[in-house]
Every structure is written in C-alpha cells, then in structure tokens.
DNA sequence: ATGAAAGCGCTAACAG
DNA sequence: CTGTTAGCGCTTTCAT
C-alpha cells in the first residue's frame, strides 16, 4: 500500500520531482510513455508507484475535454429496471465494455417528462462524453431531448424516427427481430403447419413491429384473423390465445411475439385440451431463461445476445466519439448494428 | 433554445463580458448570487440565459475539490438474489435523493473479487465524493476495500464489522429487523399460539441474524427444534417447513425470515393438509408485493420502507461529507440510522 | 527526446 | 459590493 498524506494527494509535479524529470515527461509516461527513453520511463513509473500517484481526473478533463464517462439513461415507466432480466443483461454488457474502455457509467434515472429538463441540462452540460439510451414508445420525447442536447448517443433497439425528414439518424444496436421472426415461422412451416397464428407485441414498439413484419415475410397472405394483439405480458398472451381459439379453432401453430406471451398462450392451449406441440406447435421470442425452462413443454424460441448488444452499444458510441474528436465534424452518421438471432429448438415446436 | 456554436461552449468569461461585470461577480451570481446587488444579478442572469451558459464541471471540481458525484457499488452475486423489487426500490430512493442534492450517480458494478483492484483505484482516485454500498455476506472483502480507499461511505444494511477492535465504524442505514421480528412474533403470541417456529435466513447476513434475535427476544426459551435454517429462497422455505412438520407436527405458528420462504412454507403446509391460519398461522417479512398478494391466503408480514432507506443513505452520506469539509477531520463517526418497520396484517396470521 | 511555458474554466482570497 | 489576481493539476505546442 503506497503511503499517502491524509489531505492532499500527490501531483504530477511531485512525481516529476521525484523522478528527476520535467512535468511534461512525467505526463508522457503516465499517458503511455510513447517517445520517452526507457530509463526515464522506468524512473517515472517507479516514482508513480512509490508516491501512489493517481491522475487528477478533473484537471485532465479540463484540458482534454474528455470526461471518460458516459451516461446510461433509464426511463422508469419502461423498465422495471433491475428486476427485468432483459435490462439487467444489457446493463451488464454495457458496464463490462465500459470497463474495457476505462470509462465510467453515470446512471440517469428518468421518472417522467418532468425530468426531461434536468436531463437536457445535464447532457448539455458536458458532464459526459456520450449517452446510451433505450428505444421507447412511439410518443416518447426522450430521443428528441437527447438529440437537442447535442450529445453523441447510441440507442438500444431501433428507435421510432421522429419527423423523418432531414433529421440526423441516431445510430442504434438492435437484434435482428425481423430475421428472427422469419426463422421462427419457417420452423413452424417446416413442421408442416399450415394455419400459423401470430400473437403480436404492442404496435408502438419497433421490436414488435419488426417481428410482425418477419411473420409476413414468410406468410405472404396470412389470414388477418390469425394475427392477434398482445402487449408482451403473459396475461395478454393468454387472452390473445383465447380469441384465436374462438375464431380459428383449427389453428395448428402459434408464433408469439415474446416468451411471456407464449407462456400465457400455452396455459390457455392446455386448458382447451390441446397438446403442445402435437396439436399446436408454439414458438416464442427472447429465450428468457426463467420462462422458457419453467414451462412445460420447454419453449422453442428465438435467442438474442442481449449482453452482446449492450457491449456493441458501447463500441458504437466510442466510434462515434472518435469521429467527433478526429475531424471536428462527423464523418457521416455511423452505421447502426443489427445482431443476429438464433432459433433455439426445444420441445414446444 | 439558446443558440450555441458547435465546437466550444460559452465560458464564464463570456458571460461576464456580456453582462459588463467581472468574472468573479459572474461566478458569484452563478453560485447563488449572495452579496451581489440585484441589478447586477439580473444582468448576469440574463447573459447566462442568452448565451446558454452551463458551468464547466471539470474546472469547478478542479478548484473546489468536490465532484458532485457519488458512487453506488453493486456487487453482482448479491444483486441477483435481490433481483426483486428490493434492490430496485433502494436505488430509486438513492437516485431521487441524489437529484435533490444535485449530485450524480456513478454506478460501479462489481462482478467479483477480481474487480476489487479497479474499484479501489477508482474510489481512491478522487472521482467521487463518497460511496454507497450494500451490506454483503460475512466474508465479503468489499467493505475493507472501500474503507482502505478512504472514501466516505455509507452502507445499506448493517455490515458485519470486521476485526471489531479500533476499526472505524462505517455508518449504515438499516431497517429495524429485530424490532420487526419481535412484532411479528408478538402477533403470533397474541393469537394464542404457543408452538411458534422460525424459519431463519442465512447466518452470514446480519438481517437474518437480527430477525432471529427478535424472535428470541419474545420467545426467551424457544425449543431449538422450532428453529430451522433457510437461505431466503422459496425452495428453502419449503424444505424447512417439511423438516418442521416432521420433528414438531404440533407446530401452530411460523415466523418466516422473509416472504419468499413464507411462500414456500405455505405450499408445504397446505400439501400437508393444514389450514392457514386456522391450524398454523404464518407471518413473513419484507412485504414483497409480488409474493404477498399472489399467495393464498395473502400474507401477514413486516414492511420496511425500502425507498426511504435509500434516501436516508444519501442524506447520511451528505452529512458525513459536510463534516469532512467543515473542520478537516471527522466530528466523530456519524450515527447510523435504523428505520422503523410496520406489521401488515393480512389473512395468514 | 526532453523541458519550458501557456493555458483549460473556474473559484477564492485579497484589495479596493 | 466588486474587481484583480492567483492558482487548482494536467496536457500540449514549441523550442531546444
């Protein structure tokens, strides 16, 4: 343990003095040591060690204009933040990747539109180098708030693009919802099913929309009766399944917009005396552990690499930041990233 | 929307110039405006408005030595267990209170002992003014890591005090686990029950220990056979209840260390053909919504104000910080806070 | 390859 | 009450 006087911590000046070099050289060593002769590098390193020197972040930020911190914006209504496994995994990915970049995670918790002013002020105040936010509902104003703050940002999940005209596109990271949905439906088709229904997620979320699109990609002329609206909860899945059974009792397969709705549908299916997968095959989406394996039969579903998406959000943001730094103005909006999904076959289809 | 040139943001200098005052006066106004004549205050305020001035945080920190940021340290293993409302509510309370103090929340995610070095470096690096952490298992090293970093910290939940000798006591905020347990057991006594069992939480967590102590406070000479070990999971509650029924089939009341264990016990109780509360009365702890109301009969339990505890952690930390600032050295370790619990009577007891 | 010196934007004595 | 003047600790030209 390096000793350290109670009040003030050693400065670069002290390190330089101890190593018998100038502050400039000490600085160079601390920042990688490029272009400094090995013997001096060693001397400085040793001084740093002995003094227990840690760079003063504020001083460094003041001159470099880099904070080494990025904001993660969490909108309360949307997520039961830490209890939602989805969200937890994403934040874990972000946190891990940020550590690799030696950047800090500043959590901005938004409880409602009333907080937008505060968020805008903070973001605009140059406290963080960039922001990470999550795709929300169609009518959420947060994206505009972030954009107006002129802080480089990356979204998790494809955002609804406001206006749509000359607006700068925000880069985002999303799973291949559409492709995943196609795979799910194709699986059902390959099983010989011909009356394949879809229990859709809420229309104001792009992930739900994209999954619906994927369904239609495969089933070009699907009977509208076979498509039912849910809201991503198990309850809504059960309700949708009940409707389905009423209007199209001949249904022989269901692609649910997520695992939760699939679990609700499964319950109703069994209550109606149907066997899964024999009578009705069922595929979900998300591969949410707690649901997928707790259910009988275990659910065939589409997996997305959620933690990986979190990591990618960080990488993408860092690239945007580098562009900013390099030539002053953007090199053009960086491409968004769509991560692949994989079909996980279990017993339900 | 105040205009703003792309690259650099306006400085205090610019504000001062525009308002026709010195930088010092502008600074005074920005920081509350005490001791500045109203007309000047107005002028400066207007200039700030027109220029869209936002103080540079780094520059301010550099001179004041205050970051306006506090770290919230989350230890991964723990976090999973608490993946329920508990943790989320606490962080929400912290976040809300921090906003009131205009401080930022820096999230430090600890995945294991391997991260201790990084955490120590960060904390020791003066990036944050203080830290908030949560009470962990007996053998967790995090508390020592934090203490060694010499950063003012407050714990959520009474920590195991290491060493125990001249070590500085860390202030903490905790619910009155012992008192709550007493209330729970007294309720059972008041119902005329005479063979009251306790399903205890893990012995390496102070909350579990305190609840056991509360049980003993009321039942001074309880039969050791009536106390069974669980680990705060529903499964362990079921197991403990089964053992209980085997050794003491005459049991007529159970105080479970938390609601999850109570729910497991309830299931076993009913499988054994006993009626709750008629044959066996049951009280839980935590008042965890999702469990307490989902269960039949609804659980009588002990409620703690979790969000409030989060807020108190922040207030306590701020007080510690003020003490530090005021006279250079601590005024003495600030008192910890124990928040009251309340018995919530439902149908199970 | 190294050092000297000029700030980054702000606050806090200290004068006036 | 207001302005002047030093820095806070660090990076970064610019000379050498």
């Amino acid at each position: 343990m390096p000793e350290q006087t109670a009040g003030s911590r050693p400065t670069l000046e002290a390190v330089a003095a101890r190593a018998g070099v100038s502050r400039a050289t000490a600085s160079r060593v601390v920042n990688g040591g490029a272009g400094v002769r090995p013997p001096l590098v060693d001397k400085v390193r040793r001084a740093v060690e002995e003094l227990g020197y840690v760079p003063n972040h504020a001083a460094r930020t003041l001159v470099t204009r880099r904070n080494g911190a990025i904001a993660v914006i969490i909108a309360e209504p949307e997520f039961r933040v830490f209890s939602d496994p989805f969200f937890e995994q994403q934040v874990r990915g972000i946190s891990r990747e940020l550590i690799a970049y030696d950047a800090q995670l500043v959590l901005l918790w938004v409880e409602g539109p009333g907080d937008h002013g505060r968020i805008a002020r903070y973001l605009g105040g140059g406290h963080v180098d960039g922001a990470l936010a999550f795709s929300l509902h169609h009518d959420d104003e947060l994206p505009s708030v972030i954009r107006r703050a002129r802080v480089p940002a990356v979204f998790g999940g494809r955002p609804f693009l406001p206006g749509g005209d000359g607006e700068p596109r925000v880069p985002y990271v999303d799973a291949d919802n559409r492709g995943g949905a196609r795979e799910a439906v194709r699986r059902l088709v390959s099983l010989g099913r011909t009356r394949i229904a879809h229990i859709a997620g809420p229309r104001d979320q792009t992930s739900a929309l994209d999954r619906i699109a994927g369904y239609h990609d495969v089933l070009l002329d699907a009977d509208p009766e076979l498509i039912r609206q849910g809201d991503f909860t198990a309850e809504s899945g059960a309700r949708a399944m009940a409707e389905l059974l009423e209007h199209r009792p001949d249904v022989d397969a269901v692609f649910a917009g997520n695992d939760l709705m699939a679990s609700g549908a499964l319950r109703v299916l069994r209550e109606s005396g149907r066997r899964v997968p024999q009578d009705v095959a069922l595929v979900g989406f998300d591969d949410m552990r707690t649901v997928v394996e707790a259910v009988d039969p275990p659910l065939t579903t589409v997996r997305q690499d959620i933690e990986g998406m979190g990591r990618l959000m960080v990488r993408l943001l860092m690239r945007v930041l580098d562009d900013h730094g390099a030539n002053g103005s953007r090199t053009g909006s960086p491409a968004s990233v769509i991560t692949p999904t994989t079909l996980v076959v279990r017993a339900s289809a």
Side-chain angles (χ1 to χ4, degrees), chain A:
Chain A
M1 263 303 92
E3 61 203 296
Q4 184 177 302
T5 337
S8 57
R9 297 149 19 62
T11 73
L12 194 57
E13 182 76 52
V15 173
R18 176 150 195 145
V21 301
S22 74
R23 216 165 62 222
T25 298
S27 174
R28 290 184 186 108
V29 173
V30 169
N31 293 291
V36 178
R37 264 180 314 171
L40 282 195
V41 172
D42 271 11
K43 266 191 186 168
V44 174
R45 291 250 161 84
R46 209 166 309 137
V48 164
E49 190 69 25
E50 289 165 358
L51 261 31
Y53 169 78
V54 183
N56 179 313
H57 197 242
R60 182 177 277 178
T61 295
L62 187 55
V63 38
T64 61
R65 273 116 198 305
R66 283 256 172 154
N67 284 82
I70 73 100
V72 170
I73 304 174
I74 290 170
E76 165 80 39
E78 218 41 38
F79 295 104
R80 269 155 306 129
V81 186
F82 293 103
S83 12
D84 187 325
F86 189 91
F87 192 76
E88 182 191 330
Q89 284 181 61
Q90 198 134 339
V91 173
R92 176 181 307 132
I94 290 173
S95 174
R96 285 186 174 155
E97 192 68 21
L98 243 23
I99 288 169
Y101 282 96
D102 202 42
Q104 286 314 312
L105 193 173
V106 175
L107 192 67
L108 259 33
W109 194 300
V110 185
E111 307 227 26
D115 284 352
H116 286 354
R118 177 176 61 85
I119 297 296
R121 224 171 310 126
Y122 185 75
L123 256 24
H127 298 245
V128 292
D129 298 330
L132 259 23
F134 300 91
S135 160
L136 306 158
H137 292 298
H138 188 15
D139 59 352
D140 200 291
E141 289 184 41
L142 204 51
S144 330
V145 171
I146 295 172
R147 190 154 34 76
R148 258 183 271 125
R150 292 158 183 278
V151 169
V154 169
F155 274 81
R158 181 165 66 84
F160 271 95
L161 298 171
D165 42 9
E167 300 285 14
R169 316 251 130 176
V170 240
Y172 63 88
V173 174
D174 203 352
D176 183 8
N177 286 303
R178 187 163 182 164
R182 275 197 296 259
E183 267 199 281
V185 178
R186 282 206 200 97
R187 164 78 184 169
L188 264 9
V189 170
S190 78
L191 255 27
R193 308 298 163 132
T194 55
R195 294 171 301 279
I196 303 174
H198 179 45
I199 300 181
R203 305 270 172 169
D204 67 341
Q205 292 185 225
T206 55
S207 61
L209 255 24
D210 291 350
R211 290 169 198 181
I212 295 173
Y215 169 84
H216 279 119
D217 284 346
V218 179
L219 270 20
L220 294 155
D221 48 1
D223 177 355
E225 284 274 77
L226 283 170
I227 301 174
R228 236 64 220 197
Q229 194 61 47
D231 63 9
F232 278 160
T233 65
E235 218 21 77
S236 76
R239 216 176 308 123
M241 191 68 236
E243 291 172 22
L244 225 27
L245 255 22
E246 187 181 335
H247 293 82
R248 292 293 305 259
D250 61 330
V251 62
D252 61 2
V254 176
F255 164 47
N258 74 350
D259 292 335
L260 245 25
M261 295 197 296
S263 75
L266 183 56
R267 206 188 71 222
V268 170
L269 242 16
R270 306 178 90 197
E271 286 169 4
S272 80
R274 285 166 173 84
R275 292 165 307 162
V276 174
Q278 297 88 335
D279 301 325
V280 178
L282 179 62
V283 180
F285 205 110
D286 285 348
D287 196 32
M288 188 183 273
R289 289 269 154 82
T290 52
V291 175
V292 142
E293 285 163 2
V295 127
D296 179 33
L299 225 51
T300 289
T301 188
V302 179
R303 171 184 300 164
Q304 37 186 331
D305 179 9
I306 303 171
E307 188 191 319
M309 287 169 59
R311 305 186 95 113
L312 279 170
M313 286 175 71
V314 173
R315 292 213 198 104
L316 199 52
L317 181 60
M318 291 303 175
R319 209 171 312 148
V320 175
L321 259 28
D322 284 348
D323 280 7
H324 262 233
N327 30 31
S329 66
R330 276 132 289 186
T331 320
S333 23
S336 292
V337 180
I338 307 295
T339 67
T341 56
T342 54
L343 185 73
V344 180
V345 177
R346 295 201 180 78
S348 74

